Amino acid sequence: MARLLDLKVAWRSWALTGALSLLFAVFLKPDIQETLGFFYLPALFSQHTWSVAVVACASIPFFLYMKRVGLDLFGGLAAALFFIVFLSTMYNKGNLSSWAVELSPCLASALLVAALGKDHSRNLLQGMLIASSVYLICNLAFIFRELESLTFGALEFLFFGYRNATFHIAIPAFVCSILLDAMDGKKCTLRSIVIYALALFELLVGYSATSAFAFVVLGVLALLVQFNKLRPFINGVSVGVAYGLMFFGVVIFRLQDKFGFLIEMMGRSLTFTGRTFIWDEAIGLINGSAAITGYGKSYSLSVNGAAYYAHNDILHILMMAGVVGLATLVVLIVLADKRLYVCRRSLPTAYMSAALLSLALIGLFESVLCPAGAFLLAFAYYGIGKADEVRSMAPQV
C-alpha cells in the first residue's frame, strides 16, 4: 500500500513537471510556429489562433497565482510592470497584440514561480530544464543541417532564433541543472557539464560576443563558488552594484573608449556594433512627458535609416514604460537581491547570483526582459532567496 502511494506521488510530480515543461516551452518561444519551417514542418494553426493560444497559456499561471497566493509584493509588482507597459502602449496607440504575445509569457513565468516556488521548486527547475534543453537540442540539429558552412560565428540564425537570443535557453538550462545538482547534494553532474558544453558550442557557432562572454563568466563563477570562502562575495548586493557600475561606466560615461584594445580582442567595435548610437538616440528621446509615460511596447529608434530597440535593458524599460516602469523593475530586482544577500553562504544562492550577473552583463547590450530572465529573477526571490527554504532545499555543499 505504501509503495502504491509512493508511486502515485511520483506520478503526480512528474505529471506536474511535464505540464510545466510544455508551458515553459511555449513561453520561451511564443513564435515557435514561425520556426517550424526550418525543419520543413507545417504550422499547426493560423498565426492568430496561435497568438490566442499563447495568451491563454499565459493566463493559467495568473489564475494559479491568485488561487494559491492571492497577492504579494513581488507578484503584484511584476503584474504592475506588465500593466504599466500596457497603459503606455495603449496611450501611444501601439500594437497591443505584440504586447500580449511577447510580454505575457514573461509575467506568466514569474507568476508560475510565485505560485509554486514554495512547495514545488524542484518541479519548476525540472520543467524549465527540460524545455530549454529541448530547444538546445533543436539548435544542435539545425547546426548539423548547416554542417558544410560550420565555422566560428558562421550562423546568424539557429532553430531558436537570431543568434543573440540563444542565451534565453543556454543560461536557464545550465542554471536549473546545477541548482538541481545542489538540491541533491552534488557539486556538478555529467548532465550539467554536457549542457554547459552544448550551450557554449551553440553560443560560439552563432557567435554573440556578449552572450558568450557572459556564459563563460557564469561557468567560471560556478566553479569559484565551490570554495566556501569565496561564496559569500557572489551575492545579490555585489551583483546589483556591479551592474550599476557597468551601466554608468559603459552606457553613460563610455569608459570603454579607454580600453579599446580589450573590446577589439572580443571582436567588437568601440561602438559595440553601433549600439552607442542607438543609446544616444534613446537617451535623447527620454525627456518631458515621455520620460513619465514611455513610448509603449511598439516603440522604435531610427538610426541611420534603420529601426532598432534600445539594446540596453534600462533604456529599453524607460522607452517602453518610462521612469515609473523602471522604478517598478528596480524594486523587483532589489527584493530579489536582498533575499540573495541574506542567504549568501548557500551554494544555490551563489549559483543564482552568478546567473543574475551573467544576465546583467548581457543586459548592457540586449534586453533580458524575457521569460528566462523573469523566471530566474522570480526564483531568486521565491525559490532560493528565503533563508528557511534554502536550508531545506539544499545542503551546505
Side-chain angles (χ1 to χ4, degrees):
M1 188 68 177
R3 187 175 181 181
L4 287 175
L5 184 61
D6 290 341
L7 287 173
K8 186 175 181 180
V9 171
W11 183 87
R12 286 181 176 177
S13 178
W14 279 108
L16 176 59
T17 296
L20 290 172
S21 301
L22 292 174
L23 284 176
F24 285 136
V26 173
F27 297 161
L28 286 170
K29 189 168 175 58
D31 62 343
I32 181 67
Q33 285 222 132
E34 300 174 10
T35 311
L36 292 176
F38 284 143
F39 287 97
Y40 307 107
L41 297 174
L44 300 177
F45 309 99
S46 69
Q47 188 56 46
H48 174 74
T49 301
W50 178 249
S51 296
V52 172
V54 169
V55 175
C57 288
S59 68
I60 295 173
F62 174 77
F63 291 111
L64 187 63
Y65 167 75
M66 294 303 297
K67 180 180 179 180
R68 292 177 62 92
V69 179
L71 188 66
D72 68 341
L73 181 59
F74 191 95
L77 286 171
L81 177 58
F82 182 70
F83 187 64
I84 290 168
V85 178
F86 165 77
L87 291 177
S88 180
T89 303
M90 185 171 64
Y91 176 77
N92 289 281
K93 298 179 174 59
N95 186 343
L96 291 177
S97 175
S98 172
W99 162 83
V101 174
E102 295 179 24
L103 291 187
S104 62
C106 299
L107 177 63
S109 298
L111 293 185
L112 260 183
V113 179
L116 302 175
K118 183 177 181 180
D119 302 316
H120 301 285
S121 58
R122 176 180 288 274
N123 300 100
L124 286 165
L125 292 174
Q126 290 172 334
M128 179 58 79
L129 171 62
I130 292 171
S132 52
S133 296
V134 166
Y135 282 126
L136 285 174
I137 293 170
C138 289
N139 268 357
L140 185 63
F142 182 76
I143 289 171
F144 285 155
R145 278 190 51 199
E146 307 295 325
L147 204 57
E148 293 181 1
S149 59
L150 185 58
T151 58
F152 178 79
L155 300 179
E156 287 284 312
F157 287 87
L158 302 176
F159 176 84
F160 189 74
Y162 186 60
R163 55 189 172 84
N164 285 353
T166 304
F167 77 88
H168 292 202
I169 51 176
I171 291 178
F174 177 63
V175 172
C176 288
S177 184
I178 57 178
L179 285 175
L180 286 167
D181 292 343
M183 290 178 72
D184 294 332
K186 302 173 183 177
K187 289 190 175 181
C188 189
T189 60
L190 178 61
R191 176 193 63 206
S192 297
I193 295 172
V194 170
I195 287 174
Y196 185 85
L198 175 60
L200 183 60
F201 170 72
E202 294 180 6
L203 288 168
L204 293 175
V205 172
Y207 185 59
S208 169
T210 305
S211 297
F213 175 73
F215 198 65
V216 170
V217 169
L218 174 59
V220 171
L221 290 178
L223 290 175
L224 291 178
V225 298
Q226 305 301 325
F227 300 96
N228 291 332
K229 291 184 179 180
L230 294 177
R231 193 176 300 164
F233 297 100
I234 312 299
N235 59 71
V237 172
S238 62
V239 169
V241 171
Y243 181 75
L245 292 174
M246 288 187 296
F247 174 77
F248 284 101
V250 174
V251 178
I252 304 300
F253 298 115
R254 310 288 163 86
L255 296 182
Q256 65 270 22
D257 294 344
K258 301 183 183 298
F259 303 96
F261 68 98
L262 290 175
I263 306 299
E264 291 171 357
M265 283 177 59
M266 294 176 60
R268 304 295 294 268
S269 66
L270 290 180
T271 66
F272 298 111
T273 323
R275 282 170 174 77
T276 55
F277 303 126
I278 298 172
W279 298 339
D280 290 337
E281 181 70 15
I283 292 170
L285 290 173
I286 301 170
N287 54 51
S289 62
I292 305 297
T293 63
Y295 293 91
K297 176 66 178 67
S298 303
Y299 84 89
S300 65
L301 300 168
S302 179
V303 178
N304 296 326
Y308 299 91
Y309 81 99
H311 276 282
N312 171 269
D313 236 10
I314 289 180
L315 296 180
H316 182 52
I317 294 295
L318 278 171
M319 290 297 297
M320 283 200 304
V323 294
V324 178
L326 178 61
T328 305
L329 178 62
V330 169
V331 173
L332 286 167
I333 294 172
V334 169
L335 288 172
D337 285 350
K338 180 182 177 182
R339 292 282 174 84
L340 291 176
Y341 180 77
V342 169
C343 309
R344 60 191 177 276
R345 298 187 183 280
S346 161
L347 182 60
T349 302
Y351 283 154
M352 183 57 71
S353 298
L356 295 186
L357 178 60
S358 66
L359 287 175
L361 287 169
I362 297 170
L364 286 173
F365 307 100
E366 308 293 342
S367 172
V368 295
L369 183 63
C370 60
F375 173 87
L376 292 173
L377 186 65
F379 205 90
Y381 182 82
Y382 291 104
I384 288 184
K386 298 178 182 179
D388 56 334
E389 291 178 10
V390 169
R391 286 194 292 269
S392 65
M393 144 179 185
Q396 296 292 318
V397 179

